[in-house]
Amino acid sequence: MTATSPARIESLEPHQVFVFGSNAEGAHAGGAARLAHERFGAVWGQSSGLQGQSYGIDTMSGLATLESEAHAFLAFAAEHPRLEFLVTELGCGIAGHAPEQVAPMLRGAPANVLLPERFIAVLARESA
């Protein structure tokens, strides 16, 4: 069973990284992106990758881009096993995607990646 990312993330331990959905411009004006910018070091103008204590994934440029960036994120997480990645419901807010569309992109996540409860439920149903 995969550990679950907290439903609401207000603060981070030094080894934790907040994983949020961004847009191609890196304009972190709303939702989890705004929180990442205000609290966890997300860089205005940087859409993807590690930024302070956060990691952006472009969720606004279509599902193909989201999938590509999700795979790059999983590779990054696997290369950094001492970090713990707290994943938000990527793409399920402003981007308008359903957990059933996004969760499979994170299948096989390493143990240091904590997924939201609804993503875990989708993956569990698919493997049943």
Side-chain angles (χ1 to χ4, degrees), residues 15-97:
H15 69 286
Q16 293 178 318
V17 177
F18 181 78
V19 182
F20 69 99
S22 183
N23 57 48
E25 295 77 31
H28 309 309
R34 182 175 181 168
L35 181 63
H37 182 255
E38 291 177 351
R39 293 196 187 174
F40 306 130
V43 177
W44 197 270
Q46 181 180 339
S47 64
S48 305
L50 189 64
Q51 312 172 40
Q53 230 179 320
S54 63
Y55 188 103
I57 294 177
D58 181 354
T59 60
M60 299 293 288
S61 298
L63 288 172
T65 297
L66 197 164
E67 184 168 26
S68 174
E69 295 218 351
H71 291 164
F73 161 67
L74 293 179
F76 182 88
E79 292 168 2
H80 296 85
R82 293 187 178 179
L83 295 176
E84 183 178 66
F85 296 89
L86 307 179
V87 179
T88 61
E89 286 195 355
L90 298 169
C92 297
I94 297 167
H97 305 301

Side-chain angles (χ1 to χ4, degrees), residues 2 70-71 73-75 77-78 102-115 119 123-124 126-127:
T2 305
H71 291 164
F73 161 67
L74 293 179
V102 181
M105 298 177 191
L106 298 168
R107 184 180 290 111
N112 62 331
V113 173
L114 279 60
L115 298 176
F119 285 17
L123 295 174
E126 288 184 355
S127 66

